[in-house]
Amino acid sequence: MNMNNIEQENEVDTGELELLEFLVGDECFGINIAKVSEIIIHCEVTHVPSAPPEVEGVFMHRDKLVTVIDLHEVLRCKKSEIERTLLIVCDFDQVSVAFDVTNVNGIQRLKWAQVEKPPAVSGNNDNSLATGVAKIGDKIIMMLDFEKIVCDMNTGKEFEIGSVEGITVPVDFDYSRKVLIVDDSVFMGKVVSDALKKTGFTNITQFYNGKEAWNYIEGLKGGDISRNLAAVISDIEMPQMDGHSLVKLIRSDKELSNTPIVLFSSLIHDNMRQRGETAGADAQFSRAQLSECVKTVVDLMS
């Protein structure tokens, strides 16, 4: 099944997403269809020496080397006895990864407002693999932090915090102005925060989704916005309110409209980039462009 054949409406206008629902063992999970290139039947793979047990191996697909990660191993779910499982093929910053799953149930269309923050008891910390919980009728679908899974397996490009050391900052730059990080991945939020701190920033506030961030931003109005809200770095796909909707809200408010906003996401491609520009983002970067993202934030604040 090629995902390019599935038509999607402009999420900037609808606040909706299409969620691919799949099974790992008997457990139900979901991934934003925008991250999926296609679904194929499991094929023969070549073992990679010294790879972690979660990495099954690699294979060539459409002239690309694809790494296979077994979600049954990652999630500690019992593998089905069926003869062949399925592979969900995704591209993360030009790195192709296939996730081995038991089966695919179909596509669910829902509002971002239907996706909630995982409960605290689910381990909502740096090691959490859950980014959201989608409730559809009596069904609960857990959304996973696929970027963290890829990074943990060392199959994707590493986010080198040290790479921000070469960023040139004006002598009179004020590091004490507040920068907001909005990301549903606790892991990625910490990566960005650490990069900003290494650059010299001292006033960083993090939020899990666009709704939490917007509620906070609204409370800043009436004060010194240029200091209390110097810049916003936001993911795109998030529970409750996505990044595009957050950008539109900030841009539509006269008091906030000049706030520098940078989108930092694994969903930066031609179609999504156009959506970000329409919403009003100043710049957009993929997850592998961390240093460029931080440099642009410095430039915009300068």
Side-chain angles (χ1 to χ4, degrees):
M1 181 188 298
N2 193 314
M3 296 298 106
N4 293 330
N5 296 328
I6 298 177
E7 292 195 15
Q8 301 175 21
E9 295 181 22
N10 192 326
E11 293 175 12
V12 174
D13 299 324
T14 66
E16 297 180 340
L17 78 151
E18 288 179 325
L19 193 68
L20 179 68
E21 179 187 341
F22 61 89
L23 292 175
V24 180
D26 296 325
E27 302 295 325
C28 192
F29 299 93
I31 181 172
N32 190 337
I33 203 71
K35 291 184 175 180
V36 180
S37 57
E38 59 185 310
I39 302 166
I40 61 176
I41 296 174
H42 200 301
C43 57
E44 184 177 347
V45 301
T46 300
H47 176 69
V48 179
S50 302
E54 294 86 355
V55 176
E56 294 183 12
V58 297
F59 70 101
M60 292 299 298
H61 183 65
R62 302 186 189 279
D63 297 324
K64 287 185 178 181
L65 186 66
V66 182
T67 300
V68 179
I69 296 178
D70 188 356
L71 284 185
H72 303 85
E73 284 284 342
V74 173
L75 301 171
R76 305 294 185 261
C77 292
K78 185 177 179 181
K79 201 157 189 175
S80 171
E81 298 298 327
I82 61 175
E83 185 176 347
R84 302 186 83 175
T85 53
L86 295 177
L87 296 178
I88 299 175
V89 183
C90 306
D91 289 317
F92 295 95
D93 300 317
Q94 289 78 55
V95 176
S96 295
V97 181
F99 298 99
D100 184 354
V101 303
T102 303
N103 203 356
V104 171
N105 289 345
I107 297 173
Q108 300 280 2
R109 190 174 186 88
L110 64 158
K111 297 280 188 180
W112 276 112
Q114 292 176 256
V115 183
E116 300 180 6
K117 182 177 180 178
V121 293
S122 68
N124 188 28
N125 52 44
D126 293 354
N127 295 316
S128 174
L129 290 181
T131 60
V133 179
K135 297 181 179 179
I136 305 173
D138 295 331
K139 182 180 295 185
I140 295 178
I141 302 176
M142 194 71 66
M143 296 178 68
L144 300 174
D145 190 343
F146 288 91
E147 292 156 316
K148 183 180 189 315
I149 292 172
V150 170
C151 287
D152 284 350
M153 298 303 107
N154 293 317
T155 58
K157 297 178 181 179
E158 296 182 1
F159 302 98
E160 292 290 347
I161 302 302
S163 64
V164 301
E165 292 179 347
I167 293 176
T168 302
V169 180
V171 176
D172 59 348
F173 188 81
D174 185 356
Y175 288 106
S176 66
R177 287 180 292 164
K178 178 164 301 211
V179 176
L180 259 58
I181 299 173
V182 192
D183 203 308
D184 64 338
S185 169
V186 178
F187 167 74
M188 285 309 308
K190 185 177 185 302
V191 167
V192 178
S193 177
D194 287 348
L196 290 174
K197 290 176 182 176
K198 195 167 187 71
T199 305
F201 286 88
T202 59
N203 193 350
I204 303 166
T205 301
Q206 295 179 241
F207 289 98
Y208 182 81
N209 60 56
K211 184 178 180 181
E212 290 180 355
W214 176 244
N215 290 340
Y216 174 80
I217 290 170
E218 279 198 302
L220 299 176
K221 292 168 63 177
D224 184 355
I225 289 298
S226 64
R227 169 165 290 278
N228 296 334
L229 188 62
V232 176
I233 304 174
S234 178
D235 188 11
I236 293 177
E237 58 163 356
M238 297 179 289
Q240 297 295 297
M241 182 189 293
D242 63 280
H244 289 146
S245 297
L246 176 62
V247 174
K248 286 185 69 178
L249 283 172
I250 295 173
R251 286 288 178 254
S252 63
D253 189 296
K254 290 182 180 179
E255 192 174 345
L256 306 168
S257 61
N258 292 324
T259 302
I261 310 173
V262 174
L263 291 175
F264 183 61
S265 168
S266 61
L267 294 179
I268 302 299
H269 47 69
D270 290 344
N271 182 37
M272 199 63 74
R273 188 177 295 278
Q274 179 59 48
R275 296 180 183 184
E277 291 174 355
T278 301
D282 290 297
Q284 303 175 71
F285 297 99
S286 68
R287 297 299 204 187
Q289 296 176 297
L290 178 60
S291 60
E292 292 93 332
C293 176
V294 174
K295 181 181 184 303
T296 298
V297 169
V298 171
D299 291 342
L300 289 170
M301 288 176 60
S302 301

